[in-house]
Amino acid sequence: MSEGNLNIVLDDLTGSEIAAFLQAHIDDMRATSPPESKHALDLNGLRQPEITFWSVYCDDVLVGCGALKQLSETHGEIKSMRTGADARGRGVGGAVLQHIIEEARKRGYTRLSLETGSMEFFKPAHRLYRRFGFEPCAPFAGYKEDPNSLFLMLSL
């Protein structure tokens, strides 16, 4: 799978396929992170005016997703980055992350931040974010210091 095969589309979060895909995301986070350290949003949490959500398809199969939340006029947060288990390691995460970074730049953001888990399960995500230039930062936007969380930011 290469980025050329991927189709990244704006999603209004009304379809059953994305609902099931996001439920798998929530289930993974519940299995991996203690409840007080789980910051993944469910469908209702993602259906907010300050959040833009994209689904990623390869040959009409849902393989990933990601969202951009506006925190301020110059600061965005990446939410709900997920690659389906069958598509991991095949460029989906990089494609959606690049898409979100480009959208943040178009909006005039000067900073893009994210929170992810600190456990072994999240190591592939850590490598992806670092490859794109994200660096560790302090908690932001109401998050608190947490040994189960890693906070990263990218200056745009």
Side-chain angles (χ1 to χ4, degrees):
M1 179 185 308
S2 69
E3 282 187 40
N5 299 9
L6 298 179
N7 188 22
I8 301 172
V9 297
L10 201 55
D11 194 325
D12 65 6
L13 299 167
T14 58
S16 59
E17 187 179 26
I18 192 60
F21 194 81
L22 285 169
Q23 186 58 53
H25 181 61
I26 298 291
D27 293 346
D28 276 350
M29 298 308 100
R30 283 190 182 134
T32 308
S33 302
E36 67 275 9
S37 300
K38 185 190 79 57
H39 303 290
L41 297 175
D42 62 11
L43 275 175
N44 286 335
L46 288 166
R47 289 182 183 135
Q48 303 301 319
E50 67 273 11
I51 295 177
T52 305
F53 188 92
W54 295 274
S55 290
V56 184
Y57 291 88
C58 181
D59 301 325
D60 297 323
V61 175
L62 179 61
V63 294
C65 64
L68 178 58
K69 179 178 181 178
Q70 181 172 327
L71 298 177
S72 75
E73 294 297 316
T74 59
H75 189 188
E77 179 183 4
I78 295 174
K79 299 294 292 180
S80 299
M81 281 276 298
R82 177 175 179 79
T83 299
D86 293 342
R88 291 188 183 139
R90 295 165 47 192
V92 174
V96 74
L97 184 56
Q98 184 64 47
H99 183 83
I100 291 171
I101 291 169
E102 288 171 8
E103 178 64 23
R105 285 189 171 122
K106 283 182 200 169
R107 293 180 183 189
Y109 294 171
T110 58
R111 179 177 175 190
L112 196 53
S113 301
L114 64 92
E115 179 278 337
T116 189
S118 63
M119 294 73 96
E120 189 65 30
F121 176 85
F122 298 98
K123 295 297 184 206
H126 300 169
R127 287 191 296 273
L128 173 68
Y129 296 129
R130 288 196 173 106
R131 194 171 79 234
F132 276 79
F134 283 80
E135 298 178 349
C137 67
F140 60 94
Y143 289 105
K144 294 177 175 41
E145 198 64 51
D146 181 344
N148 297 304
S149 288
L150 176 65
F151 302 98
L152 300 170
M153 63 88 57
L154 176 68
S155 293
L156 299 173

